[in-house]
Amino acid sequence: PLSPQDSLGRGLRTCYRYLNQTSRSFAAVIQALDGELRHAVCIFYLVLRALDTIEDDMTISLDVKVPMLHEFHSYLYQPEWKYMESKEKDRQVLEDFPTISMEFRNLSKVYQDVISDICHKMGVGMAEFLEKKVDSQHEWDKYCHYVAGLVGIGLSRLFSASELEDPIVGQDTELANSMGLFLQKTNIIRDYLEDQLEGREFWPREVWSRYAKKLSDLAKPENIDMAVQCLNELITNALHHVPDVLTYLSRLKNQTVFNFCAIPQVMAIATLAACYNNKQVFRGVVKIRKGQAVTLMMDATNIQAVKAIMYQYVEEIYQKIPSTDPSSNKTQQVIASIRAMSLPGGPMASRHHYSPIYLSCAMLLAALSWQYLSTISKATEEYVQAGEN
């Protein structure tokens, strides 16, 4: 729970109010973090939200926006800097940036250095992609690194700086980057139609050009079979980050940090399972059910539980792989590597280490667990709906 409001200064109270206004998904898990790390992550989030608001604002001309993105990290040390011209819904974080920057400067220097460094790198990366589209899969990884991988790296450095986690968590930037890429790719895959309607394109041309002449063509009913094949290839690409995610989570010691990191990851794998081979991605919004989300939040509290959840959802994907899908072999291969890490025995476990009888028991247990989770999920969803009614 957040510290009692009367123990926070006016500036921090304002920052937490902005946090709750601008993020439904992250506000709760940020406020559950321990001690001073909570404030550092709150300010980190708001600084990046302000930066992101500038990037998203299509009313700002490029000759104004590019220098702003490059220089944004320096505004953290300018007490009076604010921007009053934005038309975006989250513009209050720019209009009252002096309150956010003041609280930034109140943080310990070790936190300030991380936030400023990530803000600088992200601003430069955002500016780079303002005037070019994502062509190759390498560029897709690069774009996702700038907007999400750097967030994972920055958070990991904050975790280590707080001493709630070991130094290796902040030092291993490759694993931290994968944490961000898995979430960002999931969002990009799921949000195909929404981005199309708003004139944004984030699917890599190298992939979609094999299935259509224009990315927008995938939404046409006559192209649905090719569209789904393209979708499956991108989901297979995203699944390659799951082994890194499991390794990263296995290193965490603090319960609140673990929950903070694990909950978005299990939501992402559940979302990918819902999207895989699903024509609805090109017709509307694909979301996991509320009851399913509640179950995931309650269950994802330790590494063995997260491995079981990952196993459950990659099995769900495996059962849906069409034999005619061009990516089917690659999808099966990446699922095999995730299975190997998710089975009891840890990251080095291989299916060949288990006897047939053990595997039969494991599959039976998985089936019973899935049935139990499905029942609980349905009951929870009905409970949530009843509460809303």
Side-chain angles (χ1 to χ4, degrees):
L2 186 60
S3 303
Q5 289 295 303
D6 58 1
S7 70
L8 297 179
R10 189 172 68 179
L12 264 181
R13 283 204 303 272
T14 301
C15 287
Y16 279 107
R17 188 173 81 247
Y18 292 155
L19 173 66
N20 283 289
Q21 289 171 353
T22 56
S23 170
R24 289 175 300 171
S25 52
F26 280 112
V29 283
I30 288 175
Q31 290 172 109
L33 288 168
D34 283 335
E36 61 181 16
L37 177 62
R38 178 191 306 152
H39 302 325
V41 174
C42 173
I43 300 305
F44 185 40
Y45 176 88
L46 292 176
V47 168
L48 298 188
R49 171 58 63 196
L51 180 65
D52 195 48
T53 301
I54 289 172
E55 185 208 20
D56 285 344
D57 196 330
M58 304 305 288
T59 67
I60 306 174
S61 63
L62 286 181
D63 59 335
V64 173
K65 186 183 289 191
V66 170
M68 281 180 74
L69 292 174
H70 277 275
E71 296 300 319
F72 196 84
H73 66 106
S74 68
Y75 303 153
L76 292 166
Y77 298 98
Q78 298 175 29
E80 305 302 320
W81 187 89
K82 58 186 172 183
Y83 185 74
M84 306 300 289
E85 312 299 320
S86 178
K87 304 295 188 289
E88 290 289 297
K89 61 177 173 49
D90 293 332
R91 60 184 176 272
Q92 74 265 35
V93 294
L94 291 170
E95 294 172 352
D96 192 18
F97 198 75
T99 297
I100 297 169
S101 68
M102 177 184 70
E103 292 305 328
F104 163 82
R105 293 188 300 276
N106 286 339
L107 295 172
S108 300
K109 187 176 184 301
V110 66
Y111 297 132
Q112 288 186 39
D113 290 347
V114 171
I115 295 171
S116 175
D117 180 49
I118 296 297
C119 186
H120 186 196
K121 289 173 179 171
M122 190 178 289
V124 170
M126 285 176 167
E128 179 184 331
F129 277 90
L130 278 178
E131 298 181 273
K132 71 175 184 180
K133 291 188 175 180
V134 179
D135 282 330
S136 66
Q137 291 185 67
H138 172 73
E139 282 186 330
W140 197 38
D141 281 0
K142 192 176 181 183
Y143 171 77
C144 292
H145 164 73
Y146 283 139
V147 300
L150 282 172
V151 180
I153 291 168
L155 285 168
S156 301
R157 288 169 60 188
L158 292 177
F159 298 156
S160 293
S162 72
E163 298 185 357
L164 293 174
E165 298 296 345
D166 291 334
I168 186 63
V169 172
Q171 291 164 358
D172 195 333
T173 55
E174 190 172 332
L175 291 189
N177 188 57
S178 279
M179 293 283 285
L181 263 60
F182 186 58
L183 300 183
Q184 186 65 20
K185 287 181 178 181
T186 298
N187 289 341
I188 288 173
I189 290 165
R190 180 198 61 200
D191 294 341
Y192 165 83
L193 196 60
E194 180 185 325
D195 287 336
Q196 279 294 303
L197 294 173
E198 296 187 12
R200 299 190 299 251
E201 293 191 353
F202 297 112
W203 284 25
R205 178 187 295 271
E206 181 186 338
V207 175
W208 64 254
S209 62
R210 292 199 286 271
Y211 302 93
K213 289 183 179 179
K214 293 187 299 184
L215 183 55
S216 57
D217 288 346
L218 294 178
K220 296 177 179 177
E222 63 267 26
N223 297 329
I224 192 63
D225 291 339
M226 296 297 276
V228 168
Q229 289 179 3
C230 181
L231 168 71
N232 291 348
E233 181 173 343
L234 290 180
I235 289 175
T236 300
N237 176 298
L239 288 173
H240 281 89
H241 298 292
V242 173
D244 279 356
V245 167
L246 291 174
T247 302
Y248 180 97
L249 293 174
S250 69
R251 289 177 174 171
L252 300 178
K253 299 185 302 184
N254 180 273
Q255 186 65 58
T256 66
V257 171
F258 185 90
N259 295 350
F260 176 89
C261 295
I263 289 171
Q265 301 294 334
V266 295
M267 296 290 187
I269 193 70
T271 300
L272 289 184
C275 290
Y276 185 81
N277 210 48
N278 189 348
K279 298 175 182 179
Q280 190 60 28
V281 171
F282 303 96
R283 297 169 179 165
V285 180
V286 175
K287 286 186 176 180
I288 57 177
R289 302 187 314 274
K290 285 182 183 176
Q292 192 178 359
V294 170
T295 301
L296 289 170
M297 286 186 203
M298 292 173 65
D299 287 353
T301 56
N302 62 77
I303 188 61
Q304 293 308 323
V306 169
K307 285 181 176 182
I309 292 167
M310 292 289 187
Y311 189 97
Q312 168 194 326
Y313 284 111
V314 297
E315 284 301 310
E316 189 177 309
I317 292 171
Y318 185 83
Q319 296 302 324
K320 293 193 286 188
I321 299 174
S323 58
T324 55
D325 191 272
S327 304
S328 61
N329 286 339
K330 288 183 178 177
T331 312
Q332 290 169 353
Q333 286 170 8
V334 69
I335 286 176
S337 67
I338 297 168
R339 278 173 172 163
M341 289 190 72
S342 301
L343 285 169
M348 301 310 293
S350 161
R351 294 190 69 173
H352 303 295
H353 293 168
Y354 298 98
S355 65
I357 186 73
Y358 183 89
L359 279 174
S360 299
C361 292
M363 291 305 294
L364 176 62
L365 184 60
L368 290 172
S369 300
W370 166 242
Q371 187 177 28
Y372 171 76
L373 284 172
S374 299
T375 307
I376 291 296
S377 178
K378 188 172 186 299
T380 307
E381 183 173 11
E382 290 170 355
Y383 178 78
V384 170
Q385 288 173 346
E388 287 177 345
N389 294 335

